[in-house]
Amino acid sequence: MFQRLYKIFDSLHDQQIDGRGLAIFRIAFSLVLLAEVLQLFYFRHLIFDEVPYLISSEIEMWPVLIFWVMAILFVIFGLFTRIAALVNYILSVVVIGTISSFGYHMFYSYLVISFLFIFLPVSKVYSLDRLLLKLKYSHLRIAYQPPQTVSVLSYYIPVVLGLGFVYFDSIFYKYNSHLWIHGLGLWLPSSVPQAVFIDITPILNLKHFVLFLGYLTLIFETIFLFVFWRKKWRIPVLIVGIGLHMGILVCFPIPLFALGFAGIYLLLVPVGCWRRLFKSNPAAKQRVKFYDDGECAICNRSRIILSHFDTRNRVEFLSVQDHAQQEPKLKTINNDQILTHVYAVDNKGKVYAGLAAYLKVLNLIWYLKPFSWLLRIPGLHQLAHKIYEYTAVNRLTERCSENNYGYTVPVLPSEKGEFKILNNFTLKNLKVNLLLAGLAVFVLFQFFVTYNSPLLKKVRDHMGVSEYKIIQYSEHVSGEIAKITKIYFGITHHGVFVDSHFIGNNYSIAVLYRAPSGEKEWLPITSEKGTPGNYLVGPIWTKWTFRVNNPIIEQERFLKGLRNFTAFWAHQHNISLHAAVFEIKVKKYLIPEKWEYDFLKRQLQQNWVDAGEVEWKDHVFSADVKLIEQM
């Protein structure tokens, strides 16, 4: 059995494909994580302080979060990627792996993908690390191009751990859920005001369509692990998966959740699509020929740098020694002059010399255009021109060749995978074994976690074995393992949008500030319609909706939430907590057991009811709020 698995993994490891898709995944997913960390930074006092701005957390979080942002930026740009990925993972564990005051399922995807970034070859393409390798191993006679292929396993593993395991655990909740079994799994969450940003009643009124989407989601998550890796299924899986998560993006206040999962789906895009997307177009209107001294080491370095960033191949790099005489626009320039400067010639035959040539190239590469604009600013332009002229003149008087710079031609890197550890055991064999063992451990972790899911517990109850000591002990072990895997690897339960989220959670709670003048202002927690306010996005939405409130409200925890949210908002709006009064309003809804026409529209029209007020006086919080369940 093991030998068979090893052969499969060895074959997949040897199957090399273009690494562009993996690099695009690195950039896209890291941008989502960056946005999440910036949101955590904005709400850091609400999330980490015992009382926002009044009783601080045990450690100051802003330096940690700033350092985390820097690590993510290094990952995005692919600079010292392995080290940056390690730092990113450690900070992910420290910050989000240990948050216990609320749960947010995207956190767990960040953890597992951040862990994988340490080991995956995510910087082989579109990275500064690749540029550093080019500069290290290139010389005047050889332009080194580092390999940009990766094992197909580098695409499969993040999909398995980041998507497949989530769906696998989720179905053990959904098949035990009245909502999902009856096709309401998408309709009901989209029909309760406290869970949606916008009124999509016209879509929700299409009964058969929304029920179909509910069943489609259930079937899709059930079969995902078994079909995504099959080539003929990949495009349908990609379309359905992206479509479902774009629906989440539109409907629910968890946009980064939707974008993060969509980022993982980029790994299912056929690699040929990325090649075609970034394929050069010789007939493009905006193309230039760039001429420089082919015997100059500095020119060679600048050529390598510019060509590295020219992903669309808009620039053709040529040496003046070999090609200037074939360019009509350069024939009139004498030999000494043509070796002094660099030149660019566009499709219209216009010639750019010196700094202007570099600016023309920068302007052609869309993401380098800001540098072109920056270097045109008066003052900066003159400074850049002087630096260029000084370098050009110095290069003319003392040629920047390999000899006068003491340059030693580097030895090109060899294939490390063929390095022998033992007579019949190479480094590649070790990598495959470690990969197989690592994935096996993750599979075991997920099975241990899923073991305590509601459906399997129901099966054990039905079999009458739940009271056996060995079963109780196994459930205890499963729970203890789940605590560890959740923190370090994001492997946890995924009972998302099931009955327990909505049965009893049939109200919106709003907070209004009452100024001394009598004017009232709605806090951006809940809007006047009853939908989430501007604060309630991502983890802050889950904190308010499922922790501060929850289907079964614990009054002490509810009041603590009111205290922290009002203190945070007051500080953000320069409201003194020496004397501040806030009114609490509640809008109650119905939770149906079957599809209803115009349900969301009717709930949005429900009236607000006064539930009491809370007050800050000399920085001391007090509350006179009714029990929500009894209203």
Side-chain angles (χ1 to χ4, degrees), residues 312-323:
R312 299 297 301 273
N313 296 316
R314 291 289 183 86
V315 184
E316 184 179 2
F317 295 92
L318 304 165
S319 69
V320 292
Q321 287 91 340
D322 297 330
H323 299 93

Side-chain angles (χ1 to χ4, degrees), residues 563-603:
R563 179 196 68 188
N564 289 352
F565 272 84
T566 54
F568 179 81
W569 179 86
H571 185 275
Q572 294 289 315
H573 291 78
N574 297 316
I575 303 296
S576 173
L577 293 182
H578 285 289
V581 178
F582 298 86
E583 296 181 1
I584 311 301
K585 292 185 178 294
V586 174
K587 182 186 285 193
K588 301 206 74 171
Y589 311 118
L590 301 172
I591 299 297
E593 295 187 359
K594 59 181 181 178
W595 178 89
E596 293 184 18
Y597 187 82
D598 263 356
F599 179 79
L600 175 58
K601 184 177 182 180
R602 293 200 309 273
Q603 304 316 304

Side-chain angles (χ1 to χ4, degrees), residues 280-287 347:
S280 62
N281 181 12
K285 293 181 180 178
Q286 300 235 350
R287 280 180 64 85
N347 283 359

Side-chain angles (χ1 to χ4, degrees), residues 81-82 85-86 89-90 113-120:
T81 311
R82 197 80 68 184
L86 178 61
Y89 171 67
I90 292 171
I113 298 299
S114 294
F115 176 77
L116 293 178
F117 274 172
I118 302 172
F119 306 99
L120 293 174

